Amino acid sequence: MSKGIAGKNNWALFLLLLAGIVLGGFIGSLAAGVPFLSWLNYGQTFGFANPIVLDLGILVITFGLSIKITIASIIGVLIAIIIYRFL
C-alpha cells in the first residue's frame, strides 16, 4: 500500500533539497571556467554585504548571511524533488 506524499518523511525532503542546492552550487562553480557551461553559474547573490557584529564586552558575536542562487542550484533542487517523489 502506498502512503503517498502525505506519509513521506519531511526530513528526507529537507536533506535532499539541501544536497541538491550544495551539489548544484558546486557544479555551477566548476562549470564557470568552461565556456559552453558558464551559464550554469549565472545567478544572484543576496544577504548582508557587511556582517553585523554584536560586542558584549567579553563576548563578540558576528552575524552574517549570504545566499547565492544559480541556475545549477535550481536544477539541483528540481532533481532532488523528482528523486523525492519517486522514493
Side-chain angles (χ1 to χ4, degrees):
M1 175 183 266
S2 176
K3 293 182 182 181
I5 293 176
K8 290 189 178 182
N9 190 349
N10 291 332
W11 285 107
L13 176 61
F14 175 74
L15 291 176
L16 277 171
L17 288 175
L18 188 62
I21 291 170
V22 170
L23 288 174
F26 179 68
I27 291 171
S29 65
L30 286 178
V34 181
F36 62 92
L37 293 177
S38 62
W39 60 273
L40 287 173
N41 199 37
Y42 179 76
Q44 182 69 36
T45 302
F46 59 93
F48 295 119
N50 297 320
I52 300 169
V53 178
L54 177 62
D55 189 356
L56 301 173
I58 61 169
L59 180 67
V60 177
I61 301 173
T62 305
F63 298 99
L65 177 68
S66 179
I67 298 174
K68 182 176 182 181
I69 298 176
T70 63
I71 299 294
S73 64
I74 292 171
I75 292 171
V77 167
L78 293 175
I79 291 172
I81 290 172
I82 291 170
I83 290 172
Y84 179 75
R85 302 246 333 150
F86 286 113
L87 286 180

